[in-house]
Amino acid sequence: MDRDCLDLYTLMSALSQGVSEMFPRRLWVKAEVGQISMPATGHCYLELVQNSSKNTVAKARAVIWRTKYALIMPFFEAVTGSALKAGMQVLLRVQVTFSEMYGATLVVDQIDPEYTIGQKELERIQTIKRLTEEGLIEKQKDLALERLPYHFAVISSETAAGYGDFIRHLTENPYGFVFKTDLYNAAMQGDDCPPSVVSAINAVVASGIQYDAVLLLRGGGSEMDLCCFDDYKMASAIANCPLPVLTAIGHDRDFHVADMVAFESVKTPTALADFFVSIYKAEDDMLLALDRRISGALSGRISSMEGKLESVIQRIMNVCFLKIEKASGSISLLESRIKSADPREIIRRGYTLATDSSGVVLKSAEGIEVGDSLSVRFFDGVVDCNVKLKRK
């Protein structure tokens, strides 16, 4: 049966002509980079996509010719801090072309890096809003850090310079303080970073080890390299971690959603090492000050007690001296009384002492008979005599 028809070339030529007439000038198009390839020719081939909440609603092929690529990419990377890669939201200036052989192609001659940065910032704002609504922004702040944190679970890449700087700064501190760290290896950039960090946090919690804190270390990088730390799932895992999470992700100009939900954040891994060393240094200084106060108090107390002791000793000595003097007086009086009662002293005053032949002192004339022998003692001698007469 005869039918009206076109050959393929005629159709494709008509489409090409129609596209040229419909889009005579370059257009700015926003899309997501679905795929990117760089063959040895130096041209850059892209698959651009647009996604709805459920699926992909549009796709297009795009190309950046080698000469343009050499001009576009250095500027894009300088502004965003990252190379063009899949997953990026981009705003491109394109010339719409249609080839009889290859169909529609968008020829890119310019990319606006500010748009890519702006899209990341919009996503970041939306993430912060969601975390705030779910009460996760301040959840870590309700936890308490040990007074002297010692054992840490470190989430980082073992090859990351920031991790190496942290370990050296912590273990080689000038005061000799000792800490213990366990590394949970994780990707620290790119699309693999958020799920890797979430997995590491889950591993820390599942380990059953009573860590004093979880440390998330990155150590700087470009703005696009670090945007993975604005990921919602990572931030949620940090906020819900039962242990205090401290972050040290970027340089001074960077502050990420992961920092916002963390228990504490500092700018660099070395600053985080200094943070823990300073805790111990403050405790050490406090103990030294307390030691000085105790030593001073004891020294003052000892001096006071020595003064009191000297006073007591002096009072005891005074009492003793008084007692000795009193006793000396009593002794002198007793000596005087003893001396005055001494028979020799009585005899010396003119009295005599009579004894019988046995030497017994005679106190009465009773019992003495005529003819008895007596001895009469004077102060200067003894006279023996016989009784010739006894009278009353």
Side-chain angles (χ1 to χ4, degrees):
M1 182 183 295
D2 292 336
R3 294 178 179 173
D4 293 333
C5 63
L6 296 173
D7 59 68
L8 180 59
Y9 179 78
T10 302
L11 175 61
M12 299 300 282
S13 296
L15 289 173
S16 177
Q17 180 66 30
V19 167
S20 298
E21 292 175 356
M22 186 176 294
F23 302 106
R25 292 184 296 274
R26 297 181 180 89
L27 304 171
W28 284 98
V29 176
K30 58 183 180 181
E32 178 182 329
V33 178
Q35 295 181 14
I36 183 170
S37 63
M38 286 284 298
T41 58
H43 307 307
C44 177
Y45 295 97
L46 306 169
E47 180 184 78
L48 302 178
V49 297
Q50 181 174 337
N51 298 316
S52 68
S53 59
K54 295 182 179 180
N55 50 31
T56 301
V57 295
K59 286 185 180 181
R61 290 182 303 174
V63 62
I64 309 174
W65 301 122
R66 179 176 58 193
T67 53
K68 283 291 184 182
Y69 185 83
L71 297 174
I72 293 172
M73 279 303 103
F75 178 67
F76 182 84
E77 292 177 8
V79 175
T80 63
S82 175
L84 191 64
K85 56 187 178 183
M88 280 188 174
Q89 296 291 330
V90 290
L91 180 62
L92 314 100
R93 192 173 71 175
V94 302
Q95 178 67 58
V96 182
T97 64
F98 193 93
S99 166
E100 291 84 350
M101 287 288 293
Y102 304 108
T105 301
L106 306 180
V107 180
V108 181
D109 71 347
Q110 193 171 333
I111 303 176
D112 184 356
E114 297 295 340
Y115 175 83
T116 301
I117 294 174
Q119 287 299 111
K120 289 295 181 183
E121 182 60 24
L122 179 61
E123 292 174 8
R124 180 176 182 272
I125 292 171
Q126 292 170 344
T127 298
I128 293 171
K129 180 181 178 181
R130 181 178 176 184
L131 291 167
T132 302
E133 291 171 350
E134 294 173 357
L136 298 180
I137 290 290
E138 297 294 329
K139 189 173 182 179
Q140 274 273 314
K141 308 300 188 294
D142 294 333
L143 301 178
L145 188 66
E146 289 290 331
R147 180 176 178 180
L148 293 175
Y150 160 74
H151 195 183
F152 306 119
V154 180
I155 299 176
S156 187
S157 171
E158 60 185 350
T159 60
Y163 170 69
D165 291 342
F166 170 80
I167 293 298
R168 282 192 299 274
H169 216 67
L170 188 70
T171 58
E172 297 175 8
N173 67 84
Y175 311 105
F177 301 139
V178 177
F179 301 90
K180 184 178 181 181
T181 60
D182 295 334
L183 175 64
Y184 288 77
N185 202 44
M188 286 291 106
Q189 67 181 39
D191 295 336
D192 294 334
C193 177
S196 182
V197 170
V198 171
S199 177
I201 292 174
N202 292 336
V204 170
V205 175
S207 71
I209 300 173
Q210 295 300 310
Y211 291 109
D212 295 321
V214 179
L215 314 182
L216 181 58
L217 310 180
R218 169 61 168 81
S222 69
E223 189 169 346
M224 292 300 293
D225 284 342
L226 299 177
C227 65
C228 55
F229 291 97
D230 293 324
D231 180 78
Y232 167 78
K233 290 182 179 180
M234 181 194 295
S236 178
I238 291 172
N240 287 307
C241 181
L243 299 170
V245 179
L246 290 85
T247 59
I249 294 171
H251 298 302
D252 289 343
R253 67 178 183 274
D254 301 315
F255 190 70
H256 302 277
V257 177
D259 297 319
M260 296 178 65
V261 298
F263 175 83
E264 185 68 64
S265 68
V266 297
K267 295 303 180 182
T268 63
T270 53
L272 186 57
D274 287 338
F275 172 78
F276 291 116
V277 171
S278 67
I279 291 176
Y280 276 75
K281 182 63 168 62
E283 185 76 9
D284 198 40
D285 290 343
M286 185 193 71
L287 291 175
L288 288 174
L290 186 61
D291 179 65
R292 286 192 292 268
R293 289 176 60 191
I294 292 174
S295 297
L298 286 175
S299 178
R301 187 71 180 272
I302 290 171
S303 297
S304 175
M305 293 179 69
E306 286 177 344
K308 290 180 179 180
L309 182 60
E310 289 179 359
S311 176
V312 170
I313 291 173
Q314 188 62 47
R315 289 170 61 190
I316 292 173
M317 290 178 65
N318 292 338
V319 170
C320 288
F321 286 145
L322 291 173
K323 288 184 179 267
I324 290 171
E325 287 181 359
K326 183 177 180 181
S328 297
S330 299
I331 291 171
S332 298
L333 179 60
L334 186 59
E335 285 179 344
S336 177
R337 291 173 63 187
I338 291 172
K339 186 176 180 180
S340 64
D342 189 345
R344 291 170 297 182
E345 292 298 319
I346 297 173
I347 292 171
R348 190 179 295 278
R349 293 199 297 271
Y351 295 93
T352 58
L353 181 66
T355 60
D356 62 13
S357 59
S358 299
V360 176
V361 175
L362 300 174
K363 297 182 178 180
S364 171
E366 186 178 355
I368 300 174
E369 302 294 337
V370 174
D372 288 344
S373 297
L374 301 177
S375 294
V376 179
R377 183 181 297 275
F378 297 88
F379 80 94
D380 56 351
V382 178
V383 176
D384 293 326
C385 56
N386 292 320
V387 177
K388 297 173 74 173
L389 177 67
K390 178 179 176 182
R391 298 188 299 273
K392 288 188 179 179

